Amino acid sequence: MKTAVNIIDQMLERLLVALMAIMVVVVTWQVVTRYVLNDPSSYTAELATYLLIWGSMLGAAYALRLRAHLGIDIFTAKLTGNARRLSENAVYLMVILFSVLFFVYGGIYLVYVTLTVNQLSAAFQVPVGYVYLVLPISGLLLVFYSLAAISGNLEPKESMLSAPDTGGQS
């Protein structure tokens, strides 16, 4: 399972970096066409929105992997040993339940409905269901990372947001 976690980590990291890089280029081009050329591109706003949706949803799964989600841990931070592990596992089980019900099941239903009614995006004229595919994908990633954490196969991974450990030296 640790090998699978590492492979998915690498793929997800690369995909998130690519999505962010593309979004920076698209938004920069939107600013240039709007304020420099005085002829705003009709596609860039929609593309930036879709990139933001995909980046946010996949980023939420990756944040769970890094344990970088915001949380109120006033009480749980004081727990130790089995009580702490039990509390963490309960949280991961709730994440699994929420992800399966709302992201996986609800996402698949939303994709099905929007593809069935052939709802198209305004600028690109592609089915919006493809944009919504990120819901079940991110839901499955959330479930995967939660199961890995519960089974003890999710080793702590340093977040890019956390400060490096200086060994107690300033």
Side-chain angles (χ1 to χ4, degrees):
M1 179 123 179
K2 289 181 183 180
T3 304
V5 169
N6 289 335
I7 291 170
I8 291 175
D9 281 351
Q10 289 176 358
M11 290 175 25
L12 195 52
E13 286 170 359
R14 289 183 178 125
L15 180 58
L16 287 168
V17 167
L19 288 173
M20 184 58 74
I22 294 167
M23 191 174 358
V24 167
V25 170
V26 167
V27 171
T28 301
W29 180 247
Q30 174 68 17
V31 170
V32 168
T33 59
R34 180 176 301 253
Y35 295 108
V36 175
L37 302 177
N38 289 324
D39 186 22
S41 173
S42 60
Y43 298 99
T44 53
E46 186 172 294
L47 182 56
T49 301
Y50 295 157
L51 290 168
L52 182 64
I53 291 169
W54 274 73
S56 299
M57 296 305 299
L58 295 175
Y62 194 63
L64 178 71
R65 164 65 176 111
L66 297 178
R67 298 180 181 186
H69 279 285
L70 292 176
I72 300 172
D73 62 352
I74 295 169
F75 301 111
T76 57
K78 296 178 183 181
L79 297 176
T80 58
N82 286 338
R84 184 180 192 110
R85 187 75 180 143
L86 183 64
S87 171
E88 289 175 356
N89 286 346
V91 169
Y92 283 120
L93 287 172
M94 287 186 271
V95 169
I96 290 171
L97 180 66
F98 183 85
S99 298
V100 167
L101 289 176
F102 293 102
F103 288 117
V104 177
Y105 177 74
I108 289 171
Y109 180 74
L110 182 62
V111 169
Y112 171 75
V113 167
T114 55
L115 290 176
T116 301
V117 298
N118 199 27
Q119 182 181 356
L120 302 176
S121 68
F124 290 110
Q125 293 297 303
V126 297
V128 177
Y130 296 142
V131 176
Y132 297 147
L133 270 176
V134 74
L135 290 169
I137 291 169
S138 64
L140 290 172
L141 287 168
L142 287 164
V143 169
F144 173 76
Y145 282 135
S146 295
L147 289 173
I150 289 171
S151 69
N153 287 315
L154 195 62
E155 296 175 5
K157 184 172 183 175
E158 186 174 317
S159 169
M160 294 183 302
L161 303 175
S162 64
D165 185 19
T166 59
Q169 300 171 358
S170 296

